[in-house]
Amino acid sequence: MKAVVVHQYGGPEVLKFEEYPDPVPGPGEVLVRVAAASVNPIDYKRRAGLTKDFYPIKFPGLLGVDMAGTVVKIGPGVEGFSAGDQVFAMADDTYAELCAVKAAILAKVPKGLDLLQAAALPLVTTTGNQLLLATGIKAGQTVLVVGAAGNVGRSAVFTAKARWATVIAGVLKRQIDDAKTAGADQVVATDDDTAIANLPPLDAVADTVGGRTAEKLIAKVKPGRVYASVVGAPQNAAEFPSVKVVTVFSKFDRKTLEFMAEAVRDAKLVIPISRTLPLSEAGEAQAAAEKGGIGKILLVP
């Protein structure tokens, strides 16, 4: 098969489109022909060697954690999937024409959802959902979602509204127009100190950004309530011992992924796709993703 192969850590130029051995589904695995993979920050961080201490690449190796495609072969002991099923997942080595995936972490694409759209969803929607749930927010309470214009943030906003919470979208000034499509009740500029100072006491914060913004916002959380983050605790968290700080690492959950995907299919949640590129142009795709932006970038074999 053709795949994007990495032989050493480095910039986007180390991504080589070349022949790579076809994966063979082992016990409990399913072989999927990939329709699309999406680019996530973890992909280019791994490529650059930023995660080699805890998530290294065994050279020559592949990248990618999101994919959607069609089942072509079933490994021993697999039940519930058949050849021809349209599926999606957070997997490994998805920048390729074929991908072997554990059936336990595979979900069927809801009917009516396009395969390419499905490929954009696994990591960001699962992460956003689990980030919001980690806040313990309840109906009628107020949560600030930091980075709400991004895809994890949008997913967190949707989950909060599904729980009947009041949602404030925290974004940069230049993202305010984009954030208006995220579905929050209010939008606030997190790079405006006056706007932050004027925030009401918050029942929770769901943070996808971190940094100096986090240090300012933790002060707005009510005592006994939660500051949840996918980027680690605010540097000054020790100054606010009454605030419970929770760091969230996304984990596969089939029901969550299906729930979020159905929301996208039904236009209740929008995860924008900004570009679709051939798999052979993975270097260009990662370079574009590293510059930032709102929409997901897809790679199509």
Side-chain angles (χ1 to χ4, degrees), residues 37-263:
S38 76
V39 177
N40 289 290
I42 190 63
D43 302 339
Y44 49 77
K45 290 178 182 178
R46 286 191 75 205
R47 182 212 72 220
L50 301 179
T51 66
K52 60 184 177 182
D53 290 340
F54 59 92
Y55 193 15
I57 302 172
K58 184 178 179 181
F59 301 120
L62 308 184
L63 297 174
V65 295
D66 274 344
M67 73 91 207
T70 303
V71 174
V72 293
K73 191 175 181 180
I74 303 295
V78 172
E79 297 180 355
F81 294 96
S82 304
D85 285 346
Q86 292 191 339
V87 294
F88 63 149
M90 288 189 291
D92 292 311
D93 305 341
T94 64
Y95 286 19
E97 292 178 328
L98 296 168
C99 184
V101 185
K102 293 180 181 179
I105 61 169
L106 198 61
K108 293 182 181 179
V109 176
K111 290 183 179 180
L113 181 65
D114 180 78
L115 264 181
L116 296 189
Q117 178 70 73
L121 306 182
L123 183 61
V124 296
T125 62
T126 300
T127 303
N129 178 278
Q130 293 176 351
L131 170 65
L132 191 285
L133 295 183
T135 68
I137 203 75
K138 298 177 181 178
Q141 294 183 330
T142 299
V143 58
L144 172 66
V145 177
V146 191
N151 298 300
V152 174
R154 287 172 176 269
S155 301
V157 169
F158 167 76
T159 304
K161 292 307 298 178
R163 294 173 72 84
W164 302 100
T166 298
V167 185
I168 302 172
V171 297
L172 300 175
K173 292 176 184 176
R174 58 181 171 81
Q175 297 174 322
I176 285 178
D177 287 341
D178 292 318
K180 290 177 181 177
T181 66
D185 299 287
Q186 179 185 341
V187 180
V188 64
T190 53
D191 51 351
D192 182 336
D193 287 345
T194 300
I196 291 179
N198 289 334
L199 283 170
L202 301 167
D203 294 296
V205 170
D207 185 12
T208 72
V209 176
R212 295 295 299 277
T213 301
E215 295 177 26
K216 298 174 184 177
L217 291 175
I218 191 172
K220 305 299 294 189
V221 180
K222 296 176 182 177
R225 300 297 170 82
V226 179
Y227 194 106
S229 173
V230 295
V231 288
Q235 290 291 319
N236 61 340
E239 298 175 19
F240 301 92
S242 65
V243 176
K244 182 181 179 181
V245 177
V246 179
T247 300
V248 176
F249 300 96
S250 60
K251 299 178 181 179
F252 172 79
D253 182 271
R254 183 175 288 116
K255 289 184 178 180
T256 295
L257 183 52
E258 291 172 345
F259 170 70
M260 300 299 280
E262 288 168 1

